């Protein structure tokens, strides 16, 4: 908690290391400790191992970050920035480039749902409009049709489409938010943010909200180094909006057998279910793996990481490890995606020593990425790109390292699109001196 507080006191919010720590505490450490304290004598040893694994992993991760100085020296002033780079800089105006990025995400996502034959979110909302409270729960059915190992449904290059529609909107939200804070035209960017959020949620799932929340906050604070300070009302407003969206989707999914036939019952259900999901459900399967001792320490020897890599190879019939993890924990012939989390996966692959070493190395890597000055290359796109990458890297706390493969692919894809847009806009590009850039930052801040 001290590590988190130091980051926040310094205003360093656009940090993958910070959010990895926060999500690890929220999703795993707290729930593991609560379950441990409520366990009976028979399963105390198993869950105690889980508490040890998560605690050791967090301490090692923070130690790896602190080796590189942690949050020290990350916050720099506008004056220092100008003095460090007094040369003329070329800045691509944020016109068609942003819309190229948006189109590169939204168009493939639309194609995906056309091939699927329906949009789960829209179908679920439509059922509620037609049948009222009786239509609740239909979204859950439509959502599961996206899972090929349950329905047998096959879409060509489904994995590629999944990466784009799940992670691509983070770049739309990140870049649009950054440009709005710089005083660019507001409503076109608000429209793109809305389209990005809808694209993320079109599958009827709640977990993309976590990535969107982190990406939006990282984008809001990514410009601090340029002298642009975010207003607290932006943070509070966006947070409240995403919580509200999460509550609505929770109600539409209606993951309960109880009948909801009044507004009061609906409100009670959505708050209880959503925050149960945040605090406990995300860690339920990893906790069971320790309680039931389904995996031994170091049993996999790195096999899960290899499986995640092979799942992205074209033509491969290898399932994601998250599916196998669920199947083995619950002894079922089918599986939903249930990731073990970064620390649990490290334990079942390499044991306690592996947890310590991998977590330490991960702390160093995320801190190195946080400190990379390449993110300051241009002020129109790079801070937004960083916001998206911060969200993806932070998500490895609950999604596992396998998500990095998808993150790398989508970043490469977005970079190509960005360069294409920049090339087409080259005739409109203007040269700015460092002093002029400083004036732009002051003007945007005054707004």
């Amino acid at each position: 908690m001290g590590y988190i507080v130091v980051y926040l006191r310094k205003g360093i919010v656009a940090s993958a290391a910070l959010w990895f720590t926060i999500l690890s505490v929220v999703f795993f450490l707290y729930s593991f400790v609560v379950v441990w304290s409520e366990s009976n004598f028979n399963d105390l040893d198993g869950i105690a191992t889980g508490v040890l694994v998560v605690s050791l992993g967090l301490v090692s991760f923070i130690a790896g970050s602190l080796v590189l100085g942690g949050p020290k020296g990350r916050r720099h002033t506008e004056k220092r920035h100008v003095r460090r780079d007094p040369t003329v800089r070329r800045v691509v105006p944020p016109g068609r480039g942003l819309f190229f990025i948006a189109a590169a995400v939204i168009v493939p996502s639309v194609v995906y749902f056309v091939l699927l034959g329906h949009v789960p979110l829209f179908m679920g909302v439509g059922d509620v409009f037609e049948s009222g409270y009786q239509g609740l729960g239909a979204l859950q059915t439509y959502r599961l049709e996206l899972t090929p190992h349950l329905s047998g449904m096959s879409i060509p290059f489904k994995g590629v489409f999944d990466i784009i529609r799940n992670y691509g909107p983070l770049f739309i939200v990140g870049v649009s938010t950054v440009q709005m804070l710089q005083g660019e035209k507001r409503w076109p960017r608000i429209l793109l943010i809305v389209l990005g959020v809808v694209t993320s949620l079109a599958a009827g799932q709640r977990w993309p909200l976590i990535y969107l929340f982190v990406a939006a906050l990282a984008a809001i604070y990514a410009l601090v180094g340029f002298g642009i300070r975010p207003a607290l009302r932006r943070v509070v407003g966006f947070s409240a909006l995403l919580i509200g969206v999460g509550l609505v989707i929770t109600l539409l999914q209606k993951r309960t057998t109880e009948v909801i036939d009044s507004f009061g019952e609906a409100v009670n259900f959505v708050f209880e279910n959503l925050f149960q999901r945040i605090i406990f459900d995300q860690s339920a399967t990893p906790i069971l793996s320790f309680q039931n001792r389904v995996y031994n320490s170091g049993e996999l020897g790195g096999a899960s990481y290899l499986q995640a890599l092979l799942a992205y190879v074209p033509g491969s019939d290898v399932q994601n490890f998250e599916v196998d993890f669920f199947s083995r924990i619950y002894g079922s012939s089918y599986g939903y995606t249930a990731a073990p989390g970064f620390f649990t996966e490290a334990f079942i692959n390499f044991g306690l020593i592996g947890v310590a070493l991998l977590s330490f190395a991960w702390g160093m890597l995320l801190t190195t990425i946080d400190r990379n000055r390449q993110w300051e290359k241009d002020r129109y796109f790079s801070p937004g790109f960083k916001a998206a990458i911060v969200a993806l890297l932070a998500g490895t706390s609950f999604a596992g390292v396998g998500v990095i493969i998808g993150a790398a692919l989508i970043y490469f894809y977005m970079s190509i699109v960005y360069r294409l847009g920049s090339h087409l806009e080259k005739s409109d590009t203007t040269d700015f001196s460092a002093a002029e850039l400083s004036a732009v930052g002051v003007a945007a801040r005054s707004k």
Side-chain angles (χ1 to χ4, degrees):
M1 293 305 298
Y3 178 78
I4 294 172
V5 168
V6 169
Y7 265 94
L8 298 181
R9 283 179 62 87
K10 288 179 174 290
I12 307 172
V13 178
S15 164
L18 168 67
W19 284 102
F20 180 94
T21 306
I22 291 175
L23 295 181
S24 295
V25 172
V26 171
F27 286 127
F28 294 104
L29 184 60
Y30 176 76
S31 54
F32 266 71
V33 170
V34 170
V35 173
W36 181 32
S37 67
E38 296 177 349
S39 297
N40 58 46
F41 182 79
N42 293 331
D43 57 12
L44 182 61
D45 290 343
I47 193 61
T49 303
V51 174
L52 172 62
V53 167
V54 176
S55 302
L56 174 63
L58 263 175
V59 170
S60 300
F61 175 84
I62 292 172
S65 175
L66 294 178
V67 163
L68 298 180
K72 181 180 180 181
R74 287 290 298 128
R75 190 174 182 177
H76 57 280
T77 64
E78 182 183 1
K79 183 177 180 181
R80 284 177 57 193
H81 177 72
V82 172
R83 184 170 63 249
R84 188 178 62 251
D85 186 10
T87 60
V88 173
R89 301 180 62 186
R90 183 168 291 275
V91 179
V92 179
R96 292 187 299 270
L98 172 59
F99 293 91
F100 264 81
I101 292 174
V105 173
I106 294 172
V107 172
S109 300
V110 170
V111 171
Y112 175 85
F113 288 112
V114 168
L115 294 175
L116 179 65
H118 66 274
V119 180
L121 180 62
F122 298 164
M123 296 290 287
V125 172
D127 280 8
V128 171
F129 273 111
E130 290 180 4
S131 308
Y133 290 115
Q134 300 301 316
L136 295 176
L139 176 61
Q140 181 72 353
T141 301
Y142 298 127
R143 184 178 73 87
L144 292 179
E145 292 180 4
L146 294 174
T147 314
H149 53 269
L150 290 177
S151 65
M153 176 273 296
S154 177
I155 292 179
F157 302 105
K158 181 179 182 299
V160 176
F161 282 119
D162 284 340
I163 293 172
I164 294 175
R165 68 181 179 82
N166 286 330
Y167 304 137
L170 301 179
F171 292 86
I172 299 177
V173 171
V175 174
S176 298
T177 302
V178 163
Q179 291 186 3
M180 276 201 309
L181 294 177
Q182 291 173 299
E184 300 301 327
K185 293 180 180 179
R186 182 179 180 184
W187 288 109
R189 282 151 186 82
I190 290 179
L191 175 61
L192 288 181
I193 291 174
V194 170
L195 288 175
V197 172
V198 171
T199 301
S200 287
L201 304 178
Q205 297 167 305
R206 292 176 293 181
W207 64 263
L209 285 169
I210 302 168
Y211 287 96
L212 288 171
F213 175 77
V214 175
L217 287 187
I220 289 172
Y221 281 92
L223 293 172
V224 169
F226 292 98
I228 299 176
R229 305 301 171 105
L232 181 61
R233 57 184 174 83
R234 299 180 190 274
V235 178
V236 174
F238 197 85
S239 301
L241 175 63
L242 288 187
I243 291 175
V245 172
L247 292 172
V248 170
I249 294 182
T250 299
L251 178 62
L252 291 174
Q253 287 185 358
K254 189 183 175 287
R255 301 174 73 168
T256 178
T257 57
E258 297 180 7
V259 177
I260 297 177
D261 53 17
S262 71
F263 180 75
E265 292 177 353
V267 171
N268 180 68
F269 163 73
V270 295
F271 274 98
E272 180 180 332
N273 186 271
L274 179 63
F275 291 101
Q276 172 75 17
R277 172 66 175 170
I278 292 174
I279 301 300
F280 290 108
D281 288 358
Q282 187 70 38
S283 61
T285 306
I287 285 175
L288 283 176
S289 70
F290 288 103
Q291 286 182 316
N292 301 333
R293 297 173 178 80
V294 180
Y295 290 91
N296 296 318
S297 173
E299 175 183 331
L300 297 181
S304 75
Y305 302 116
L306 177 61
Q307 188 172 343
L309 179 63
L310 292 177
Y312 282 97
V313 176
S316 173
D317 58 355
V318 176
Q319 287 185 333
N320 288 328
F321 175 71
E322 292 84 353
V323 176
D324 291 341
F325 185 73
F326 179 95
S327 298
R328 187 163 170 179
I329 298 299
Y330 293 98
S332 61
S333 58
Y334 61 89
Y336 297 91
T337 53
F342 182 92
F343 303 123
T344 301
E345 187 170 10
F347 177 73
I348 62 181
N349 273 283
F350 302 113
L352 285 175
I353 295 179
V355 172
L357 294 179
L358 282 176
S359 301
F360 186 87
W362 202 244
M364 293 184 65
L365 176 62
L366 266 57
T367 303
T368 300
I369 294 174
D370 285 339
R371 290 171 172 271
N372 190 352
R373 299 300 183 186
Q374 183 72 14
W375 298 118
E376 299 168 9
K377 183 178 180 180
D378 76 66
R379 59 182 301 143
Y380 284 121
F381 286 94
S382 291
F385 271 53
K386 179 182 180 180
I389 293 300
V390 163
L392 290 169
L393 291 174
T396 58
S397 62
F398 60 87
V401 180
V403 72
I404 293 303
I405 302 172
L409 292 175
I410 192 66
Y411 178 74
F412 180 68
Y413 173 56
M414 289 290 98
S415 297
I416 293 177
V417 173
Y418 162 59
R419 290 178 182 276
L420 176 62
S422 301
H423 176 74
L424 294 178
E425 290 188 327
K426 187 169 271 189
S427 61
D428 298 327
T429 300
T430 304
D431 287 335
F432 291 93
S433 68
E436 289 171 326
L437 283 173
S438 174
V440 172
V442 172
R445 185 171 69 253
S446 65
K447 293 182 180 182

